[in-house]
Amino acid sequence: LDKMHEVYRLSNSGHERLGEASALPAVATADIRYNAYNLVLGLYRDSRNADDSFKALDLIERMIDPRASDSIGVPLPTIDSFVYTVLALGKMQDSAKAIEEAERLIDLLEVNE
């Protein structure tokens, strides 16, 4: 995802930062879609590493808040995004924290529907 965002930033800033404005056509563009994010969330869900549940939470929070400075080009989450993240929470060692985060995500999903 980081490489995809690097291409996205370069394709959107392109030649303007080089002072060439539109003298050269864009070589590549990037449109990062939700399925790339869902793929990563699915990997976190399937991981056996408990730390990956925190990574899944961080990722979906970037998807939820499009105003965040690091969320430029980040797609909005789908229902699958929420499902994968809640399932990833099952790997947390602190079950009370996992339940709390799952309930928070479900509330966010209901608010954004």
Side-chain angles (χ1 to χ4, degrees):
L1 288 175
D2 291 337
K3 289 292 182 187
M4 292 175 80
H5 279 282
E6 185 177 331
V7 170
Y8 180 84
R9 281 189 293 276
L10 289 173
S11 69
N12 286 332
S13 63
H15 305 292
E16 288 137 16
R17 68 182 173 86
L18 300 174
E20 299 177 10
S22 60
L24 297 173
V27 176
T29 60
D31 183 19
I32 306 168
R33 298 185 185 227
Y34 67 87
N35 57 349
Y37 278 77
N38 285 351
L39 177 65
V40 174
L41 289 170
L43 292 171
Y44 290 148
R45 172 202 62 200
D46 297 340
S47 172
R48 294 184 182 169
N49 186 347
D51 291 339
D52 286 341
S53 14
F54 293 106
K55 292 178 184 177
L57 278 173
D58 289 341
L59 186 58
I60 199 161
E61 285 172 1
R62 283 180 55 200
M63 294 174 76
I64 290 170
D65 187 5
R67 296 166 293 156
S69 62
D70 64 342
S71 292
I72 296 172
V74 176
L76 293 173
T78 63
I79 291 176
D80 287 337
S81 307
F82 285 94
V83 170
Y84 297 155
T85 305
V86 169
L87 291 173
L89 294 175
K91 310 279 189 304
M92 284 181 136
Q93 293 177 352
D94 183 354
S95 59
K97 175 75 171 165
I99 292 169
E100 176 185 323
E101 290 295 337
E103 288 174 346
R104 185 178 67 85
L105 286 174
I106 291 168
D107 289 343
L108 284 171
L109 175 62
E110 290 173 347
V111 166
N112 291 320
E113 277 190 319

